[in-house]
């Protein structure tokens, strides 16, 4: 949902969200049900934010065709994990 929040801040009116998670794409497109409560709350927040745009689409991009973005996300997740560990270790 952070991408949608940022897009709103930047004044976007439509989005084409391209994700490497086929499951998430299918969940957002209503093809799969969401069974975990934690994910359901995120899904609901995304759906709420979607109403602020004229159009939002979700499409799947295989990870092997998206290596740059995948690497950036993995690095950010590693950094966040390291920071949390540092905070928890204190």
């Amino acid at each position: 949902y952070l991408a949608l929040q940022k897009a709103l801040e930047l004044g976007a009116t439509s989005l084409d969200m391209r994700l490497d998670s086929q499951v998430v794409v299918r969940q957002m497109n209503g093809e799969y049900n969401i069974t975990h409560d934690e994910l359901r709350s995120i899904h609901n927040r995304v759906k709420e934010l979607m109403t602020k745009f004229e159009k939002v689409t979700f499409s799947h991009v295989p990870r092997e065709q998206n290596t740059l973005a995948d690497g950036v996300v993995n690095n950010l997740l590693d950094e966040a994990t390291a920071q949390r560990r540092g905070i928890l270790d204190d």
Side-chain angles (χ1 to χ4, degrees), residues 24-85:
V24 173
V25 168
R26 289 183 176 184
Q27 287 172 334
M28 294 311 303
N29 289 333
E31 298 171 47
Y32 286 179
N33 290 326
I34 299 170
T35 57
H36 294 88
D37 289 337
E38 186 177 312
L39 295 178
R40 191 174 293 114
S41 67
I42 294 168
H43 176 82
N44 290 340
R45 179 69 179 132
V46 169
K47 287 292 193 179
E48 177 186 324
L49 286 167
M50 286 172 61
T51 65
K52 300 176 188 278
F53 295 90
E54 293 174 17
K55 181 179 180 183
V56 179
T57 60
F58 294 89
S59 56
H60 177 248
V61 177
R63 189 166 286 148
E64 52 276 357
Q65 293 178 9
N66 197 26
T67 55
L68 178 60
D70 189 51
V72 169
V73 168
N74 286 332
N75 288 338
L76 290 171
L77 291 173
D78 290 346
E79 287 175 20
T81 299
Q83 287 177 352
R84 275 195 301 274
R85 286 185 180 150

Side-chain angles (χ1 to χ4, degrees), residues 3-20:
L4 277 79
Q5 287 178 328
K6 189 63 173 179
L8 278 175
E9 290 173 19
L10 295 172
T13 58
S14 65
L15 296 174
D16 179 18
M17 304 292 291
R18 298 173 187 211
L19 295 85
D20 63 13

